[in-house]
Amino acid sequence: MTARLLMVLSASILLTLGTMHLASTFWGTSFAPRDPALQVSMSRISPVLSEETTMWRCWMGFNASHSMGLILFGLIYGYLALAHDQLLFRSPFLLLAGLVMLACLIVVCRLYFFRGPLVGVSISFVFYVVSMALSRA
């Protein structure tokens, strides 16, 4: 029971972070540059990869897809912990995939983000690892 609860808490943290990130991407100014001229410039300039988009549209898309990945992780692992805990805790593949995802998110947070997301993902990681350990006991 404790393993399930900790897994749900781990998943809930990512679901919450992803939902907040998605809302901030489309409804707010949290991800807008402090210099309005930069946003104007990003709206006019295309990446080398393709002239079919702009850097601003890429920026918005990257933020949206990042949010959706966090939400998907939270929904799937939370659902599995609540409805199919035997499947989750007996699957080395699912447990390893989630562990690697969280570890990689910690690295990304450390390299590219600020302290808030790093703390949230790190707490989620700790809950996940303890949940795994308890499920094996």
Side-chain angles (χ1 to χ4, degrees):
M1 184 66 174
T2 305
R4 287 178 66 194
L5 176 63
L6 289 172
M7 185 62 73
V8 169
L9 288 173
S10 173
S12 297
I13 291 170
L14 263 67
L15 178 61
T16 301
L17 289 173
T19 302
M20 289 170 44
H21 193 275
L22 189 64
S24 296
T25 297
F26 293 113
W27 300 284
T29 58
S30 297
F31 294 114
R34 291 183 189 274
D35 180 355
L38 178 59
Q39 184 172 340
V40 171
S41 182
M42 290 174 73
S43 297
R44 293 183 182 151
I45 297 171
S46 296
V48 173
L49 179 64
S50 173
E51 292 184 10
E52 295 178 17
T53 190
T54 65
M55 291 305 297
W56 183 254
R57 288 176 57 204
C58 287
W59 169 250
M60 294 297 289
F62 294 148
N63 277 292
S65 61
H66 173 71
S67 302
M68 292 164 50
L70 296 175
I71 291 168
L72 182 63
F73 181 97
L75 289 173
I76 289 174
Y77 279 84
Y79 170 76
L80 288 173
L82 289 172
H84 300 287
D85 60 317
Q86 295 299 316
L87 171 65
L88 175 60
F89 290 116
R90 289 185 181 168
S91 172
F93 172 78
L94 289 173
L95 291 174
L96 183 62
L99 186 69
V100 169
M101 174 69 171
L102 288 171
C104 289
L105 281 172
I106 288 173
V107 171
V108 168
C109 286
R110 178 68 179 100
L111 292 175
Y112 301 108
F113 300 151
F114 51 99
R115 197 168 83 132
L118 177 60
V119 169
V121 174
S122 296
I123 292 169
S124 176
F125 180 81
V126 169
F127 286 162
Y128 190 95
V129 169
V130 173
S131 173
M132 283 178 55
L134 290 174
S135 74
R136 300 288 182 211

